[in-house]
């Protein structure tokens, strides 16, 4: 006969498993970390989000977040819901994919800045820079570069917005693939 106060009735998971270590603070830290990853996912554009492999429920929840006003209670609760969904998945692959997507954007920004500097050097140094650029990138058309640079400097000297300068930037970006 078992007595009601018997320890068999009151066993907890940590009584059986000696490796079981959990506390509320570690659980909260883990859930907050997952929720931060969820916030980063929400801040991505749809095309960036498509590059990351996500569960369809999580993907839909992230897209629904865009319909909710930021800094409202509904937004906060929805972010907690995304965190709850993410707790069921291994977030390391998601973090890795997220880092790749974000770094790709940084690389893209660096490329744009490189083309911008190239254009500025072309406009300030003229034929000497065109020669160095054509030697370094033989696929560039020297005559087209000279024409675009000449037109852009004339437009900039007038003080108007330079369409040729924009065209030069587009030409450099389309022809140079590094």
């Amino acid at each position: 006969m078992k007595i009601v106060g018997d320890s068999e009735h009151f066993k907890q998971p940590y009584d059986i498993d000696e490796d079981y270590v959990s506390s509320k603070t570690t659980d909260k830290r883990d859930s907050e970390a997952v929720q931060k990853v969820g916030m980063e996912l929400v801040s991505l554009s749809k095309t960036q989000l498509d590059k990351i492999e996500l569960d369809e429920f999580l993907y839909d929840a992230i897209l629904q977040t865009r319909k909710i006003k930021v800094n409202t209670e509904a937004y906060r609760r929805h972010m907690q819901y995304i965190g709850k969904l993410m707790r069921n998945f291994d977030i390391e692959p998601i973090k890795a994919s997220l880092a790749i997507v974000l770094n790709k954007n940084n690389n893209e920004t660096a490329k744009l800045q490189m083309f911008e500097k190239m254009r500025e050097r072309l406009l300030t140094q003229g034929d000497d820079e065109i020669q160095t650029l054509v030697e370094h990138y033989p696929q560039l058309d020297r005559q087209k570069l000279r024409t675009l640079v000449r037109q852009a400097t004339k437009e900039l000297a007038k003080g108007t917005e330079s369409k040729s300068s924009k065209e030069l930037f587009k030409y450099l970006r389309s022809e140079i693939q590094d």
Side-chain angles (χ1 to χ4, degrees):
M1 173 170 198
K2 298 269 183 179
I3 302 174
V4 175
D6 193 8
S7 64
E8 287 292 318
H9 294 292
F10 302 111
K11 285 222 181 242
Q12 297 293 322
Y14 51 82
D15 290 336
I16 300 166
D17 188 12
E18 292 184 21
D19 294 334
Y20 182 83
V21 177
S22 181
S23 68
K24 282 186 179 182
T25 53
T26 55
D27 290 343
K28 281 184 180 182
R29 273 191 221 121
D30 293 343
S31 65
E32 285 173 3
V34 170
Q35 202 167 348
K36 283 183 184 176
V37 173
M39 290 176 108
E40 290 179 20
L41 288 173
V42 166
S43 67
L44 296 177
S45 69
K46 189 172 182 330
T47 54
Q48 290 173 325
L49 201 57
D50 290 338
K51 295 176 184 175
I52 299 175
E53 278 190 42
L54 296 172
D55 180 60
E56 64 183 90
F57 294 115
L58 181 59
Y59 182 78
D60 290 340
I62 290 171
L63 291 181
Q64 286 176 350
T65 306
R66 296 166 205 244
K67 298 176 185 175
I68 303 172
K69 257 189 198 177
V70 182
N71 295 332
T72 60
E73 184 63 19
Y75 185 82
R76 185 191 66 79
R77 284 194 315 267
H78 195 74
M79 290 306 298
Q80 284 183 331
Y81 173 67
I82 290 174
K84 180 181 176 185
L85 286 176
M86 289 182 65
R87 277 184 244 146
N88 299 329
F89 305 110
D90 183 21
I91 63 165
E92 292 307 317
I94 295 174
K95 280 184 179 178
S97 300
L98 187 62
I100 290 169
V101 167
L102 293 176
N103 191 22
K104 185 175 183 180
N105 288 341
N106 291 340
N107 291 341
E108 199 64 35
T109 305
K111 281 183 184 178
L112 292 177
Q113 289 174 350
M114 179 189 76
F115 292 129
E116 185 70 33
K117 287 178 184 175
M118 239 183 246
R119 178 179 65 179
E120 290 302 317
R121 282 196 315 263
L122 282 170
L123 293 176
T124 56
Q125 297 176 4
D127 285 338
D128 296 332
E129 186 61 27
I130 291 173
Q131 180 63 33
T132 7
L133 205 60
V134 169
E135 287 173 3
H136 197 264
Y137 301 103
Q139 73 269 21
L140 293 175
D141 182 15
R142 181 188 317 259
Q143 191 59 41
K144 185 169 185 168
L145 277 174
R146 282 189 179 147
T147 306
L148 288 171
V149 168
R150 194 174 330 109
Q151 288 174 349
T153 49
K154 283 181 185 176
E155 290 171 357
L156 290 172
K158 289 180 184 176
T160 61
E161 186 177 327
S162 177
K163 292 180 182 177
S164 299
S165 179
K166 290 179 183 177
E167 197 174 321
L168 176 63
F169 180 81
K170 288 179 184 176
Y171 177 70
L172 290 173
R173 199 170 88 192
S174 66
E175 292 297 318
I176 298 174
Q177 302 295 327
D178 268 346

